[in-house]
Amino acid sequence: MKAILLAAAVTAAFSGAAFAEFPERPITWVVPFGAGGVTDITSRRLAERLQAELGQPVIVENKPGAGGIVGSQEARIAAPDGYTLLLATSGPFGIQAALSPEKLPYDPLSDFEFIHGVTASPQLIVANYNAPFNTMAELVAYAKEHPGELNFGSPGVGTAQHLGGELFKRAAGIDLEHIPYTSGSTQMVDLAAGVIDLSFEYQTVVAPYVEDRKMKILGVTLGERLKASPDIESVTEAGYPDAVNVGWTFLAVPKNTPEAVRAKLEDAMAKVMNDPGIVAQVESDGRSVVNLKGHQPGHDYISAEIAKFKAAADGIALK
């Protein structure tokens, strides 16, 4: 009996030491979308800062497909040891969980542990620079005069950008065809070239194209104007309050990741997300920091968002 207790004590001691030394090798940060989109750009900025906190490389890997489901599932089945992180987004963790839970190979609320909130982001309604409309009112008028002609792109079915387009077209009473992509960068290239007409995207992604006069901003999916861009009209001001839509992200790990490992990641991410430079950068992109640390606050936030998406998207078929 003493031998068994001694062995257990030794094992616990070694396990505790192993957790205390975490991380001992590079960490993978999974982005469930292609390169060039807002989740990719944000992840690379934050991974670099997190690397400084943890003392090990944090390598971003893009795993696109099925509106974020493919990458999220790959993270779910990874070893629960803290060496695989996932940028959980409102598409595969909120919208699709609300509207098509039977299509998900995972449960967003029970198959993951949430480390820290990352960002909350409204979308900008953008059009090709040569489009025959310059405001939301002009867009709606044109769409009603030319039914079935306009379309909008998104990084994939069930993403926050997809829901943004669906909510706007329902609120405005117009017809817009959805064109899904697997990469945010490919979608932007096509919009700039006039292959598609519109997108409901994030400021980080569209800014270079707007500066180069390849796209123009028609509005923002908020109830009020952005502090950083007060010249952009909100959907509520334009008369479409039901089109308000904000995408969010959280850093997550597979369930059963050791508590000591999660604690280290939580502390490190809290420092990253409270870094004045990171906060300023996030806000300059038209977003805000979701300053929620630990699993339960993240779980509660996402649970409430799923309920909100169910109510907001009632009757919308995401396809």
Side-chain angles (χ1 to χ4, degrees), residues 24-212:
E24 297 181 294
R25 54 186 171 86
I27 293 171
T28 298
W29 177 307
V30 176
V31 175
F33 299 99
V38 66
T39 50
D40 179 63
I41 294 170
T42 299
S43 291
R44 293 182 188 279
R45 289 175 179 171
L46 298 180
E48 183 178 1
R49 181 66 180 79
L50 182 60
Q51 177 173 310
E53 288 295 331
L54 294 175
Q56 287 287 347
V58 179
I59 302 167
V60 173
E61 288 191 3
N62 298 92
K63 301 286 186 179
I69 294 176
V70 171
S72 299
Q73 171 66 356
E74 287 203 22
R76 184 192 74 82
I77 63 176
D81 54 12
Y83 288 98
T84 299
L85 312 178
L86 170 69
L87 191 70
T89 71
S90 51
F93 270 69
I95 298 168
Q96 296 187 59
L99 304 183
S100 305
E102 72 283 354
K103 296 181 180 180
L104 297 180
Y106 54 82
D107 185 323
L109 296 175
S110 63
D111 286 338
F112 296 88
E113 305 275 1
F114 299 104
I115 298 300
H116 203 285
V118 182
T119 61
S121 315
Q123 289 132 18
L124 296 178
I125 304 172
V126 290
N128 178 271
Y129 190 77
N130 296 316
F133 36 77
N134 297 298
T135 66
M136 285 183 280
E138 291 177 0
L139 162 63
V140 171
Y142 184 91
K144 289 182 177 179
E145 292 171 3
H146 303 81
E149 289 189 13
L150 295 179
N151 57 44
F152 73 97
S154 83
V157 173
T159 58
Q161 296 95 318
H162 181 191
L163 182 61
E166 295 291 345
L167 289 176
F168 182 82
K169 78 178 191 181
R170 185 173 72 174
I174 59 176
D175 181 25
L176 299 174
E177 180 187 2
H178 176 230
I179 308 296
Y181 287 77
T182 59
S183 166
S185 58
T186 304
Q187 177 209 177
M188 289 293 98
V189 169
D190 278 2
L191 179 56
V195 176
I196 57 175
D197 303 307
L198 300 161
S199 183
F200 295 74
E201 258 297 354
Y202 299 104
Q203 183 170 317
T204 308
V205 177
V206 306
Y209 296 95
V210 173
E211 291 173 5
D212 290 343

Side-chain angles (χ1 to χ4, degrees), residues 220-246:
V220 61
T221 60
L222 280 177
E224 64 285 324
R225 298 194 178 207
L226 286 166
K227 292 181 180 179
S229 304
D231 56 324
I232 301 175
E233 186 181 27
S234 74
V235 290
T236 298
E237 286 180 278
Y240 314 116
D242 290 340
V244 170
N245 185 40
V246 177

Side-chain angles (χ1 to χ4, degrees), residues 22 27 54 82 85 115 253 261-270:
F22 172 87
I27 293 171
L54 294 175
L85 312 178
I115 298 300
V253 293
V261 171
R262 296 201 318 269
K264 278 203 167 185
L265 290 170
E266 289 169 9
D267 289 344
M269 273 303 290

